[in-house]
Amino acid sequence: MNLSTISKPTTTNSPPHPSSLFPEISKCKNMRHLRQVHANFIKTGKIHDPLASAEILRFCSLSHHRDLVYARKVFSQMCEPNCFAYNTLIRAFSESKHDDDALNSLFLFYEMPVQKAARLQEGKQVHGLIVKFGLVYDEFVLSNLVRMYVMCRDMDDAHVLFYKNITEFGNSSKLVRDKRRQEGNVVLWNVMIDGYVRLGNFTASRELFDKMPQRSEVSWNVIISGYAQNGQFREAIEMFREMQMGDTCPNYVTLVSVLPAISRLGALELGKWVHLYAEKNGIEIDDVLGCALIDMYSKCGSIENSIQVFERIPKRNPITWSAMIGGFAMHGLAKDALDCFSRMEQAGVKPTDVVYIGILTACSHAGLVEEGQLFFNHMVNVVGLEPRIEHYGCMVDLLGRAGLLKEAEELIWSMPFKPDDVIWKALLGACKMHGNIEMGERVAKILMDLVPHDSGAYVGLSNMYASSGNWDGAAEVRLKMKQMHILKDPGCSWIELDGVIHEFLVEDDSHPKAKEIHSMLEKISHQLKLLGYKPNTTQVLLNVEEEEKESSLHYHSEKIAIAFGLISTRPETTLRIVKNLRMMVLVLVWTTGKLLTVMISSAYKDAHRFSYETQVDM
């Protein structure tokens, strides 16, 4: 046999160990070196590589120079920690000599993304062991045991355990004097409130909050952020006001939590107070708080203040650049948005997919179709980012506003995933804008099938019919809405006076000063008619006489808010009225009870953008 003809066994090279891919981590001699490498990874974007972030975590968790506090921070910044990341941190906590860390490993295990039912059964077994070994009265163990039930969404068992402890605590004078037990008790209340907030049960969470014998900063932050994140913006601001009047001072987390609510209600003066409070109390305006302030000022119509906050942030990352670009886009300042994007690239910051949403939005509102298409292609082909449905939504809006309705519809059907109602509503809005009834009917039908109880498609189609004079078609759509019990979201306006938010609806007469408000409305209407003003009734889509159309405009929610502002403020006071989709800034000058000058600087916000116009009537 010729040995040369015998095949040698093939050998496969085993994949390199992750540590060999990042020698700079392996060479770190202490945590100071590791922090430098970590900072470099963040700056260069390498930290988004799951292997890189896992190796950073492994070093600060398991090396001889371990720092578990830093490790937990690294872990919390991972977008989607994998099983290796969980196992690394669980092992690190388990090997720690501190009892608290050992328990942390247990509760980190419960947080792993697996079936909660299985975790709950394991948790109950651990609960049994805790009782068996007499640890149930340890404050740390007890609060984390309740947290386990909360994380598993078993509020019934959490409730039983919570009240059993509260009852025993209240019946023991010795425990009341125990400061550690008091602090543990506050933590327990906070865990329960957070659990109800997570489930969206704000009645139960608020009831518990109001009953708390002692509150901490965390107590306030949980309830404020819960309201803000679930669209209950007025409630969030009211809680923030209550906190200010109490003994607990707002901290960094409080400010970050309340600013989104302030943004949505356009409470600029309150937002300015938050900004000033942070500066006076030495609260660092870092990238997170800075972004919240930039967003707040942008949404409240003050882009100048947004720019000032942005320029003062010492270290800018993709998040801060994205916030500023989004602010420019919101105000229709496309050139500034594009310039900001160029500055970001020159600074060596890699744009994220969120940055491109801002850029595409800016192009859409400025009618820059070619530029928008170029940026979309740059994002996909050069930067290598996968387009999300939001990017396609921006492109549909871009094409639709430019009248390229056919191209917009074709783009929707070519998407690699199923279009949602937001994208179809963008196309429906474009159909109304350009009077394409045929496509509008088709799109509205798709929307009615997709979200049958959402009023958007019905109202949009009805308005299209009304605009074209097809009153029978509009009435038919309205009748269908009535039969299906679909209600249109009512128009609502807010005005902030002395830090208090006042809300008004259409034809609202519920305010204590309703009589004075209506008297002021009549006075304004009379003065404007003397100046030759005639109401624009073209957008009153009702089949009624012209006089009735004018009357319907008279009691719009924003006009009621303006009238209330006039009777409640001094002359030459700037009034900021925020409506569902529109913000107006008015400066009115009154002398001897007579309207001499009306200067209106309006910022109309069509969901995403402000456009400016100034009008002076003498």
Side-chain angles (χ1 to χ4, degrees):
M1 181 183 289
N2 186 352
L3 295 178
S4 63
T5 63
I6 299 177
S7 301
K8 295 182 180 180
T10 57
T11 59
T12 57
N13 295 325
S14 59
H17 191 276
S19 60
S20 65
L21 300 176
F22 308 102
E24 56 268 64
I25 298 178
S26 304
K27 293 177 182 178
C28 289
K29 296 181 179 180
N30 51 47
M31 279 301 300
R32 185 171 65 84
H33 292 162
L34 188 278
R35 287 189 178 94
Q36 292 174 352
V37 173
H38 188 195
N40 179 261
F41 278 21
I42 293 173
K43 183 178 180 180
T44 59
K46 195 180 289 186
I47 195 66
H48 298 300
D49 183 337
L51 290 178
S53 58
E55 281 302 298
I56 291 283
L57 179 65
R58 189 178 68 83
F59 184 95
C60 51
S61 299
L62 303 177
S63 72
H64 294 299
H65 313 287
R66 67 181 63 183
D67 182 341
L68 294 188
V69 174
Y70 194 81
R72 189 64 198 251
K73 290 180 180 178
V74 172
F75 180 83
S76 66
Q77 291 176 358
M78 291 180 165
C79 294
E80 295 182 4
N82 56 23
C83 189
F84 174 81
Y86 275 99
N87 289 341
T88 298
L89 201 53
I90 288 171
R91 176 185 166 189
F93 282 139
S94 301
E95 294 176 351
S96 173
K97 295 179 181 179
H98 298 287
D99 293 338
D100 290 356
D101 285 339
L103 283 167
N104 272 330
S105 68
L106 178 65
F107 292 104
L108 187 63
F109 173 71
Y110 292 134
E111 293 177 10
M112 292 182 71
V114 293
Q115 291 185 346
K116 292 188 181 296
R119 288 290 177 238
L120 179 60
Q121 293 306 313
E122 293 169 355
K124 288 183 176 181
Q125 293 173 15
V126 173
H127 186 176
L129 291 173
I130 287 172
V131 174
K132 181 179 179 180
F133 292 116
L135 297 173
V136 74
Y137 294 107
D138 181 280
E139 296 78 18
F140 183 83
V141 174
L142 182 63
S143 61
N144 279 288
L145 189 57
V146 174
R147 182 177 285 113
M148 180 274 296
Y149 283 113
V150 165
M151 296 301 293
C152 291
R153 304 173 74 85
D154 184 357
M155 292 304 295
D156 291 337
D157 283 338
H159 187 270
V160 170
L161 192 59
F162 167 74
Y163 268 102
K164 183 176 183 295
N165 176 77
I166 294 304
T167 303
E168 292 178 357
F169 179 82
N171 292 336
S172 173
S173 60
K174 181 180 178 181
L175 289 177
V176 171
R177 292 193 299 268
D178 187 336
K179 185 177 179 181
R180 182 183 174 189
R181 186 64 185 269
Q182 284 181 330
E183 292 174 351
N185 199 41
V186 173
V187 172
L188 204 56
W189 283 84
N190 291 342
V191 171
M192 286 297 295
I193 292 170
D194 181 57
Y196 284 120
V197 166
R198 287 171 183 267
L199 293 176
N201 188 346
F202 285 95
T203 301
S205 62
R206 183 60 184 270
E207 186 179 333
L208 272 182
F209 181 85
D210 290 340
K211 289 180 179 178
M212 283 187 78
Q214 183 182 352
R215 296 175 184 140
S216 66
E217 291 171 336
V218 175
S219 313
W220 289 99
N221 292 342
V222 166
I223 200 77
I224 290 171
S225 64
Y227 277 134
Q229 291 170 13
N230 287 271
Q232 300 189 40
F233 307 117
R234 287 192 67 190
E235 290 80 357
I237 289 177
E238 286 170 5
M239 294 306 297
F240 181 65
R241 281 298 189 196
E242 282 191 37
M243 183 182 187
Q244 289 175 278
M245 292 185 287
D247 299 328
T248 309
C249 295
N251 61 10
Y252 172 91
V253 177
T254 315
L255 305 188
V256 172
S257 300
V258 77
L259 278 169
I262 293 172
S263 302
R264 293 298 296 268
L265 296 184
L268 180 61
E269 295 308 313
L270 182 56
K272 287 181 177 179
W273 184 93
V274 168
H275 188 181
L276 185 62
Y277 176 88
E279 292 181 335
K280 281 191 172 182
N281 290 274
I283 298 176
E284 181 187 3
I285 301 180
D286 58 4
D287 55 342
V288 177
L289 182 54
C291 284
L293 285 169
I294 291 169
D295 183 66
M296 180 274 296
Y297 279 126
S298 297
K299 288 179 178 174
C300 288
S302 182
I303 192 66
E304 297 82 5
N305 284 327
S306 293
I307 296 170
Q308 289 175 10
V309 173
F310 175 75
E311 295 297 345
R312 291 174 185 171
I313 295 176
K315 294 182 180 178
R316 300 180 194 132
N317 57 25
I319 300 173
T320 50
W321 286 102
S322 174
M324 193 65 252
I325 290 171
F328 284 131
M330 192 183 302
H331 285 257
L333 303 173
K335 183 179 183 302
D336 295 281
L338 300 185
D339 289 345
C340 193
F341 183 86
S342 299
R343 284 180 59 193
M344 181 188 67
E345 287 191 314
Q346 291 168 8
V349 179
K350 184 178 179 181
T352 62
D353 55 353
V354 179
V355 170
Y356 280 101
I357 291 174
I359 283 294
L360 293 175
T361 301
C363 291
S364 174
H365 293 143
L368 304 177
V369 177
E370 291 184 11
E371 290 85 347
Q373 291 173 328
L374 286 173
F375 274 108
F376 186 85
N377 292 331
H378 182 270
M379 177 187 74
V380 177
N381 301 323
V382 179
V383 181
L385 293 172
E386 194 74 26
R388 290 162 33 194
I389 196 165
E390 292 86 353
H391 298 103
Y392 282 102
C394 290
M395 292 302 296
V396 169
D397 189 56
L398 172 71
L399 296 169
R401 285 174 181 271
L404 303 173
L405 302 181
K406 183 180 179 182
E407 291 84 346
E409 187 177 19
E410 289 174 353
L411 179 63
I412 291 175
W413 291 120
S414 69
M415 284 166 38
F417 29 68
K418 185 178 178 180
D420 62 5
D421 60 310
V422 177
I423 281 188
W424 286 117
K425 284 176 183 176
L427 184 56
L428 182 62
C431 291
K432 179 180 180 296
M433 182 188 298
H434 297 285
N436 192 326
I437 305 294
E438 182 184 349
M439 182 181 288
E441 289 176 327
R442 188 167 67 249
V443 172
K445 177 65 169 63
I446 293 172
L447 269 169
M448 290 173 188
D449 292 337
L450 188 63
V451 280
H453 294 283
D454 187 304
S455 65
Y458 301 91
V459 173
L461 183 59
S462 174
N463 288 345
M464 268 197 293
Y465 284 146
S467 296
S468 63
N470 182 0
W471 299 111
D472 291 338
E476 187 178 338
V477 175
R478 296 283 180 176
L479 178 61
K480 187 175 182 181
M481 288 179 68
K482 187 175 181 180
Q483 291 171 342
M484 295 179 66
H485 305 289
I486 298 172
L487 299 176
K488 178 185 175 183
D489 293 332
C492 179
S493 296
W494 299 275
I495 180 171
E496 177 196 18
L497 295 178
D498 299 322
V500 179
I501 306 294
H502 299 268
E503 182 181 60
F504 297 94
L505 301 176
V506 176
E507 299 183 355
D508 196 341
D509 59 359
S510 61
H511 197 276
K513 293 186 176 181
K515 191 173 290 186
E516 295 96 318
I517 290 171
H518 283 256
S519 176
M520 176 56 73
L521 280 171
E522 295 292 338
K523 186 178 289 187
I524 294 173
S525 179
H526 177 68
Q527 289 286 334
L528 289 175
K529 282 182 180 179
L530 292 178
L531 295 171
Y533 171 77
K534 184 173 177 58
N536 178 11
T537 59
T538 58
Q539 294 303 309
V540 180
L541 304 176
L542 298 172
N543 190 18
V544 294
E545 297 297 327
E546 188 69 17
E547 187 176 339
E548 290 184 65
K549 289 185 178 182
E550 290 186 14
S551 178
S552 69
L553 287 173
H554 194 61
Y555 295 105
H556 275 191
S557 61
E558 66 268 31
K559 291 189 176 181
I560 297 174
I562 293 168
F564 173 70
L566 290 175
I567 66 173
S568 307
T569 59
R570 296 177 179 178
E572 301 187 43
T573 299
T574 300
L575 303 180
R576 293 180 182 272
I577 315 297
V578 180
K579 195 173 178 180
N580 305 44
L581 297 177
R582 180 171 65 178
M583 171 175 284
M584 298 181 294
V585 183
L586 299 95
V587 181
L588 298 99
V589 184
W590 287 77
T591 304
T592 63
K594 206 172 183 182
L595 181 62
L596 297 182
T597 308
V598 181
M599 299 176 60
I600 304 178
S601 174
S602 302
Y604 296 96
K605 186 172 66 169
D606 54 0
H608 303 291
R609 180 180 73 99
F610 290 90
S611 62
Y612 297 91
E613 56 185 59
T614 300
Q615 164 189 331
V616 179
D617 292 319
M618 296 298 292

